[in-house]
C-alpha cells in the first residue's frame, strides 16, 4: 500500500514545491520512499507548466534538496487517490475543504505547521513570492520544522495499517469491497486563527 501526500499552496511555485522536496527527502532518509509518494499542486492554475520560482530553487539547492518541478493546479478528482492533502495556509485549507467532494475527503486536509509543536498559534507558512531570498529561507525553516512531525504521523499511520493487515485472518480471495480512505494522521493540534 502506498501512502500519498500532496502539498498545496497558491500557484505551486514557491511553498508547496519547497515542502514537497523537503518532505520527500525526509521520507527517503527514513527508508520509506517505496511506501510514501509525495507531490504538490496549487489552488490556482496561473503557473501551470512552469518550474519553481528561481528563489525556491536557489534555497532548495543551497540546502541540499532536489528542485526539479513543474507547477500544476490541484483538482477535486485527485482526492480519492490521496491520503493526506497538506495546505500551506488557512486560505488554502478552506479552498481545499470546499473543493472536496465528500466529508471524508475534506478531513484529509491539514495545515503543514500543525505538525510543528513549536509553531505557536499562527499556522500559516507566509507566501514569500513578493519578498526577497530571506523570506524563502524563512519559509524553508518553517517547512523543515514541521516535516519531522508530519513524517512521524505518516509513519504511525503506516504502522497501524501494517498491524491491521497482520491481524487479519487469511481468507479466500473475494471481490474487494469499496473501502474508505485511511484516516489522515493527526497533527500536533489543528488550530484556527
Amino acid at each position: 500500500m502506498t501512502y500519498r501526500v500532496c502539498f498545496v499552496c497558491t500557484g505551486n511555485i514557491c511553498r508547496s514545491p519547497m515542502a514537497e522536496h523537503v518532505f520527500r527527502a525526509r521520507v527517503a532518509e527514513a527508508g520509506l520512499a517505496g511506501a510514501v509518494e509525495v507531490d504538490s499542486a496549487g489552488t490556482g492554475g496561473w503557473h501551470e507548466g512552469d518550474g519553481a520560482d528561481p528563489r525556491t530553487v536557489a534555497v532548495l539547492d543551497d540546502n541540499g534538496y532536489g528542485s526539479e518541478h513543474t507547477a500544476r493546479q490541484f483538482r477535486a478528482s485527485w482526492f480519492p487517490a490521496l491520503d493526506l492533502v497538506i495546505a500551506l495556509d488557512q486560505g488554502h485549507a478552506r479552498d481545499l475543504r470546499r473543493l472536496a467532494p465528500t466529508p471524508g475527503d475534506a478531513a484529509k486536509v491539514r495545515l503543514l505547521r500543525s505538525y510543528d509543536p513549536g509553531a505557536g498559534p499562527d499556522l500559516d507558512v507566509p507566501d514569500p513570492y513578493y519578498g526577497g531570498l530571506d523570506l524563502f529561507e524563512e519559509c524553508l525553516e518553517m517547512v523543515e520544522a514541521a516535516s519531522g512531525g508530519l513524517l512521524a504521523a505518516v509513519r504511525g499511520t503506516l504502522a497501524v495499517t501494517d498491524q491491521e493487515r497482520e491481524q487479519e485472518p487469511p481468507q479466500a480471495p473475494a471481490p474487494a469491497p469499496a473501502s474508505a480512505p485511511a484516516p489522515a494522521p493527526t497533527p500536533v493540534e489543528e488550530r484556527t486563527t
Side-chain angles (χ1 to χ4, degrees):
M1 174 185 147
T2 301
Y3 194 87
R4 292 176 176 85
V5 179
C6 185
F7 294 92
V8 182
C9 70
T10 306
N12 192 218
I13 60 168
C14 298
R15 295 170 283 178
S16 60
M18 189 179 288
E20 173 189 351
H21 284 285
V22 169
F23 192 64
R24 183 177 289 128
R26 296 294 180 271
V27 165
E29 291 164 3
L32 296 172
V36 180
E37 285 182 12
V38 183
D39 206 348
S40 68
T43 56
W46 311 280
H47 298 287
E48 267 189 301
D50 294 346
D53 185 287
R55 296 163 294 180
T56 295
V57 172
V59 168
L60 287 170
D61 288 347
D62 288 350
N63 288 278
Y65 296 105
S67 60
E68 188 175 320
H69 178 72
T70 302
R72 60 200 192 124
Q73 184 175 4
F74 189 88
R75 309 273 189 248
S77 61
W78 298 356
F79 270 106
L82 295 168
D83 296 291
L84 195 55
V85 180
I86 302 293
L88 277 288
D89 69 29
Q90 298 277 353
H92 303 133
R94 260 189 315 275
D95 291 347
L96 289 162
R97 288 178 181 132
R98 277 194 294 255
L99 189 62
T102 69
D105 289 327
K108 296 176 184 180
V109 178
R110 297 281 190 270
L111 288 166
L112 175 60
R113 292 193 69 209
S114 66
Y115 293 95
D116 176 2
D122 183 4
L123 297 181
D124 287 352
V125 176
D127 190 349
Y129 184 76
Y130 295 104
L133 196 58
D134 59 323
L135 294 182
F136 284 80
E137 291 167 348
E138 288 176 22
C139 179
L140 177 66
E141 289 173 10
M142 291 179 187
V143 167
E144 288 177 330
S147 291
L150 175 58
L151 179 63
V154 169
R155 182 181 278 159
T157 299
L158 290 171
V160 167
T161 303
D162 287 343
Q163 288 173 355
E164 289 171 353
R165 271 198 298 261
E166 289 171 4
Q167 293 173 0
E168 292 176 1
Q171 298 178 358
S179 62
T186 304
V188 173
E189 180 180 346
E190 188 87 22
R191 299 166 281 211
T192 57
T193 54

